[in-house]
Amino acid sequence: MKVFDLTRGKYPQLYYGNDIISQYEDQFKMTIHASYSFQRKFPKRGCLHDVEALIDTIPIFLVETSMTNEYVAVPGLQCSILVPEDQYYVPTEYSEFDIDEWVNTKESEKEDDPRERQPQSLSILDLLGVYIFTNDDDLIPRKIFVWMDKIMDYAKDHTKKGTKQIGSNAATLFDFVVFHEIGHALMDVELYGIHPSPHFSYSSDYVYRFIEEAYANGIALSIVYDNLKSQEQDFIKDFVLSQGAGYARGWDLRDYHLEIDQWLSIKVLFNYDIACLIIDCWKNNHQELVPECVQSVGHNDWLALKDRHDKWGIIELPSQKDIIGFKKYDSFWSFDENGLCMVRLDQQKGYLYGCVNEQGVEQIPVEYDHLYSFENGITIAKKDGRYGAIDLNNNTVIPFNLPYEDIRGFRNGRASVKDKNEKWGVIDTNGKLIVPCENNNIVL
């Protein structure tokens, strides 16, 4: 990432050169990698972006508070850049925001959504850095600003007098702030050419801000923390825990930065149920559950979503309308060319499979021990421990009495079968054995 020092080298103890990424390269690449699974869920016209290359195009401007709201010449670019405000005005209740209170209020007082309350008073949040996205017409639509004097002042004010830690603490905080803002860039879904739900607002939705700031801190911690000396780790931990609502939660998420791909997915369809799911995972120390809450089902504008009771359903975007089996199934697959999607119910002694159609009806009842994909309207199925075959309307086309220990799905009208002697053969779509079970393995 290109760094432009608009302070003209005034803070050499904070910033050691133009390549800020190199000393954290491995950790940074791990975090970059987390966004690729998000792209696979939401590809833009089938095209996946090179995330690392996109992030690399975002310039970092090192500035001072005296430059706020002024145009400053950028060396080497032959242009000027407007330095934004270094403070953010927020409602007082945000600085004391309680996610549980919000959830309870959301449930009991639909008319009084605390996200929409008009603030009675404002408090000022000092910004040490900010990630900005404007529009495609801007010469530099995405950019990061870092206020060097504020970082230096914070280090001076929060380092024990008489120690020599001010310089290293300031440099540590600088690295942390930079990667916090890069974290926001990674969570900018429009960076990938994908747009979030029109109902969501960064400026008014406290729950969104609560979660995003926590993840940004978690990302920054996951990149820089392990590279620090013990005194610097203590300094950064104290800084994070002192930041207040949302930000401080990032300390608990430092080992879960790879889950940002799910937060990216969630931003596209942000709603109350998903917010509750995430916060429940945090409160119960089950962050590892968050990555399972959203998945593609291979149908335009449809997503499978898991609720707080670990049940899946399908919703439509951007309307967020419940489509199929909401809060019913334990797993979803993808819709095939027949308009069927395999679903699963978890039983105490195994699994049961079936298929739903695009009208939300169980076209294949969830009663099979196993199902394969349909080929030419039929598929191998297993029921009550025995194999047979069914068609798209759940009619039995091969009785469930085939004398085999295992059967694979049809390919080109053939299916491989294994007998009790662990030997493989081949049957046709009528269940007739056309290759004897004399082989150690068969690939169709």
Side-chain angles (χ1 to χ4, degrees), residues 17 107 125 201 229 238 249 328 362 381 421-422 434:
E107 281 288 338
L125 180 67
S201 167
K229 298 176 181 177
D238 290 343
R249 179 66 74 170
K328 178 177 181 180
E362 285 185 9
N421 298 316
E422 303 288 318
I434 58 177

Side-chain angles (χ1 to χ4, degrees), residues 66-83:
S66 61
M67 303 174 183
T68 297
N69 292 325
E70 292 185 3
Y71 281 92
V72 180
V74 181
L77 286 188
Q78 297 181 338
C79 71
S80 297
I81 196 79
L82 177 64
V83 179

